[in-house]
Amino acid sequence: MEILSDAHPGRVWTGRTELVPKQVVTRGTRSIGELLCSVFNDPPDLLPNATVDVHIRIGEGANALVIPRGAVYADNSNNRFVFRVEAIISISA
């Protein structure tokens, strides 16, 4: 886990997840899962209750294909898929 703060540009704190959420709740248009984590804050520059950006890595794979979330579509059964272009055909008028 990496924690970044606008108050300290270029500084990155690390941490680890202690307790994962048992459920995800909807708040407005967002799905929220609250978790408990420990942050290694030495020297203690990061203040309690500060607004931060947190990056949590849940998996890692060599040569993994990464696509934007907006490129993933879902059908009525909530199956997720992406379109792949296999060939581009030019048609002249």
Side-chain angles (χ1 to χ4, degrees):
M1 161 185 317
E2 293 180 342
I3 299 99
L4 303 119
S5 172
D6 289 341
H8 300 277
R11 173 89 192 265
V12 178
W13 290 265
T14 59
R16 69 170 186 251
T17 302
E18 300 290 345
L19 182 65
V20 295
K22 296 192 184 323
Q23 64 181 354
V24 175
V25 297
T26 302
R27 292 190 186 151
T29 58
R30 302 182 310 157
S31 298
I32 306 292
E34 296 179 352
L35 58 90
L36 180 66
C37 65
S38 296
V39 177
F40 306 109
N41 189 21
D42 189 27
D45 294 332
L46 189 61
L47 300 175
N49 299 315
T51 300
V52 295
D53 292 321
V54 179
H55 301 182
I56 300 174
R57 185 174 301 159
I58 57 172
E60 198 171 335
N63 300 316
L65 175 64
V66 178
I67 59 172
R69 180 178 289 179
V72 180
Y73 296 90
D75 62 15
N76 292 337
S77 300
N78 208 27
N79 295 316
R80 292 183 171 89
F81 60 94
V82 296
F83 289 104
R84 181 179 73 177
V85 176
E86 293 188 8
I88 298 175
I89 300 171
S90 177
I91 300 175
S92 300

